[in-house]
Amino acid sequence: MELKMRELRGDDLFPLIHIIGKIDITDDFVEMFAARETIKVDNKEELERIIEERGYKVVARILKKIMLNLQVVKDDLNAFLAELCGVKLQQIEELGLIEKTELIKAFFKKPELLGFFKSIASFMA
């Protein structure tokens, strides 16, 4: 079954924050903000590259936490994916292993999700 996800909207922030909260990544964010350093760059492109790199690191940490705690966020993640794909929850729950993995991977590759994490990363710059 080929599922297509809609673009993320502002209200998607709430289930996303709820899922992030359940995997207890708050300490990771606090650590990242506490480790904040002054960045001295010669141009805006270099600053953008650093912010993007930090955004990828945030996404990678969250993805790792979710994968390690998938059972904890399973119901919330399934419900969120069902809403994003415009299908019933049961359809998400019945996906095969490869289909489910690809769907989760597609979610974490969404440009607007990366933009959200880049925004967070910009606070650390």
Side-chain angles (χ1 to χ4, degrees):
M1 169 191 334
E2 179 73 26
L3 294 174
K4 182 172 168 77
M5 272 186 265
R6 64 167 172 74
E7 286 188 21
L8 295 174
R9 301 185 297 240
D11 275 355
D12 293 326
L13 177 65
F14 302 106
L16 183 59
I17 294 297
H18 179 74
I19 291 168
I20 291 170
K22 275 190 149 183
I23 58 172
D24 194 27
I25 199 164
T26 307
D27 291 340
D28 294 296
F29 278 110
V30 170
E31 179 184 317
M32 285 185 277
F33 281 105
R36 194 169 133 172
E37 62 196 60
T38 303
I39 298 173
K40 295 178 181 167
V41 294
D42 294 328
N43 57 51
K44 185 178 178 179
E45 291 80 21
E46 180 67 10
L47 179 62
E48 286 295 317
R49 186 194 63 74
I50 291 169
I51 289 171
E52 185 167 342
E53 181 179 297
R54 288 183 179 185
Y56 281 119
K57 286 180 181 179
V58 170
V59 170
R61 279 181 121 164
I62 290 174
L63 183 56
K64 179 181 177 184
K65 282 276 192 166
I66 286 177
M67 294 312 232
L68 292 173
N69 295 288
L70 204 51
Q71 191 59 39
V72 174
V73 297
K74 177 185 148 204
D75 294 337
D76 296 302
L77 186 58
N78 281 342
F80 190 41
L81 291 172
E83 203 279 320
L84 289 174
C85 294
V87 298
K88 294 183 188 239
L89 177 59
Q90 183 177 0
Q91 288 176 272
I92 298 295
E93 293 171 337
E94 292 175 351
L95 287 174
L97 180 64
I98 294 171
E99 292 170 308
K100 181 68 137 290
T101 304
E102 290 298 318
L103 186 62
I104 292 170
K105 188 169 77 173
F107 171 71
F108 279 98
K109 285 185 169 184
K110 291 191 80 48
E112 54 271 25
L113 186 63
L114 181 58
F116 167 71
F117 289 116
K118 278 175 61 177
S119 292
I120 290 173
S122 71
F123 287 117
M124 297 181 282

